[in-house]
Amino acid sequence: MLSKKTKYGIKALVHLARQNDREPVQISTISKSENISQKFLESILLTLRKNGMLGSKKGKGGGYYLLKDPKEIPMTTVMRLLEGPIAMVPCVSLNFYEKCADCPDENICAVNKLMLKVRDNTLEIFRNTTLADLSELADS
Amino acid sequence: MLSKKTKYGIKALVHLARQNDREPVQISTISKSENISQKFLESILLTLRKNGMLGSKKGKGGGYYLLKDPKEIPMTTVMRLLEGPIAMVPCVSLNFYEKCADCPDENICAVNKLMLKVRDNTLEIFRNTTLADLSELADS
DNA sequence: CTATTACCCTATAGATTTAATAGGATAATA
DNA sequence: TATTATCCTATTAAATCTATAGGGTAATAG
């Protein structure tokens, strides 16, 4: 299951991507528009900024804005930042690999085999989907 | 992330599928062979039996056994039974659909759009992978 | 220069889920 | 009738998630 943190984070990023200009958008604006608890959103945007995804401006007229072109932001980056590993088990994770304590040999492990396939497919989707793609309304 | 319950459940099912005959296998045997806490495994096998996946036999020479041919058991069934929804968000789930509280219109929701793609792909894999496929050792 | 605005940061708490354990009841077999 | 092995409920320990609280800091306007 996707955490609310990730869900809200994506929504906020898309909100910023849909902005025509790069003018800062206030937390409260996004919070109201996307129905997200303002304080919770605050902490999410903070981690997005700390990880180089967003810039911010303080004081009146301040807010958050995207640092890069939405076309240049693949969802792999966003997902790993907010949700962590894309794989469903650590033993098939590229960026968060961990050996299973119970599994003597990954090569003959059924779970490994299955989840490797799932990871490959999911990864492919996230790689080929940018924030710009998600910002285009409806269908496609 | 895949829960240990699901992980252990799949391993146990594969263990049973790898059995040549349909003779009952004791919990303790699977538990030792797969490095799973026996009591925890007990509860997992119980739910698998209650949902028509396994049969059981009590007393000496008892144990659990598959009720169907592994070729006839797609991973969609197993996953839904053990893990629940395959989708990462309830609003794109086929069997566990739920509307998001915060989302006024799913058709223009970026998260919905993205997770729908992921679900479609993952579902396809689970549909086309049977317990028999996972039981074949190594590569493929 | 000072009031206001809006982000910055840490800590904590409540709720939920997960993973496992405990302890015995029940049924089948030898 | 003793033994074996599943059946079943309840409980707990730990982890994670989802916020909320409460103030600090920097920028802007007038």
Side-chain angles (χ1 to χ4, degrees):
Chain A
M1 274 293 164
L2 203 70
S3 69
K4 301 240 192 226
K5 181 184 167 190
T6 304
K7 184 180 166 188
Y8 293 163
I10 294 174
K11 283 192 169 193
L13 287 171
V14 167
H15 185 106
L16 292 174
R18 279 175 180 165
Q19 220 66 14
N20 292 326
D21 44 40
R22 289 286 177 87
E23 287 300 293
V25 180
Q26 295 170 27
I27 297 175
S28 66
T29 305
I30 302 176
S31 157
K32 279 169 204 156
S33 166
E34 308 294 337
N35 295 306
I36 304 169
S37 146
Q38 180 162 340
K39 273 292 190 180
F40 193 22
L41 181 60
E42 202 177 308
S43 72
I44 296 167
L45 295 180
L46 200 61
T47 70
L48 286 173
R49 182 189 64 90
K50 284 187 178 170
N51 285 280
M53 185 72 51
L54 297 178
S56 65
K57 199 181 159 191
K58 286 187 183 177
K60 195 164 192 177
Y64 283 98
Y65 51 91
L66 286 176
L67 283 175
K68 287 187 240 169
D69 186 331
K71 283 191 189 67
E72 305 302 320
I73 305 174
M75 292 311 292
T76 37
T77 309
V78 175
M79 289 299 293
R80 287 194 178 114
L81 225 145
L82 292 168
E83 189 76 4
I86 286 163
M88 292 184 82
V89 279
C91 68
V92 298
S93 177
L94 293 173
N95 290 253
F96 300 83
Y97 175 84
E98 249 177 87
K99 195 181 177 314
C100 293
D102 57 296
C103 198
D105 184 1
E106 286 175 6
N107 297 315
I108 59 166
C109 174
V111 176
N112 184 282
K113 199 168 155 187
L114 179 64
M115 292 307 155
L116 200 56
K117 268 196 232 169
V118 174
R119 187 215 61 189
D120 281 343
N121 270 262
T122 307
L123 209 50
E124 193 69 8
I125 293 171
F126 287 154
R127 269 194 188 128
N128 295 322
T129 308
T130 68
L131 215 52
D133 295 325
L134 293 186
S135 305
E136 294 156 16
L137 296 174
D139 39 70
S140 93
Chain B
M1 274 291 164
L2 203 70
S3 69
K4 301 239 190 221
K5 181 183 166 191
T6 304
K7 184 181 166 188
Y8 294 162
I10 293 175
K11 285 193 168 190
L13 287 171
V14 167
H15 185 107
L16 292 174
R18 279 175 180 166
Q19 220 65 16
N20 292 325
D21 44 41
R22 290 286 177 87
E23 287 300 292
V25 179
Q26 295 170 28
I27 296 176
S28 67
T29 306
I30 303 176
S31 157
K32 279 169 204 154
S33 167
E34 307 293 337
N35 295 307
I36 304 169
S37 147
Q38 179 161 341
K39 272 292 190 180
F40 191 24
L41 180 59
E42 202 177 309
S43 72
I44 296 167
L45 295 179
L46 199 61
T47 69
L48 286 173
R49 182 190 63 88
K50 284 187 179 170
N51 286 279
M53 184 74 48
L54 297 177
S56 67
K57 200 181 159 189
K58 285 185 183 178
K60 195 163 192 175
Y64 283 97
Y65 52 91
L66 285 176
L67 283 175
K68 288 186 240 171
D69 186 331
K71 283 190 189 66
E72 305 302 320
I73 304 175
M75 292 311 291
T76 37
T77 309
V78 175
M79 289 299 292
R80 288 195 177 114
L81 225 144
L82 291 168
E83 189 76 2
I86 287 163
M88 294 185 80
V89 279
C91 68
V92 298
S93 176
L94 293 173
N95 289 253
F96 300 82
Y97 175 84
E98 248 177 89
K99 195 183 178 312
C100 294
D102 56 297
C103 198
D105 184 0
E106 287 174 7
N107 297 314
I108 58 167
C109 175
V111 176
N112 184 282
K113 199 168 156 186
L114 178 64
M115 293 307 157
L116 199 57
K117 270 196 232 168
V118 174
R119 188 215 61 191
D120 281 342
N121 270 263
T122 307
L123 209 52
E124 193 68 9
I125 293 172
F126 287 153
R127 271 196 187 127
N128 295 324
T129 308
T130 69
L131 215 52
D133 296 324
L134 293 186
S135 305
E136 294 156 18
L137 294 175
D139 38 70
S140 94

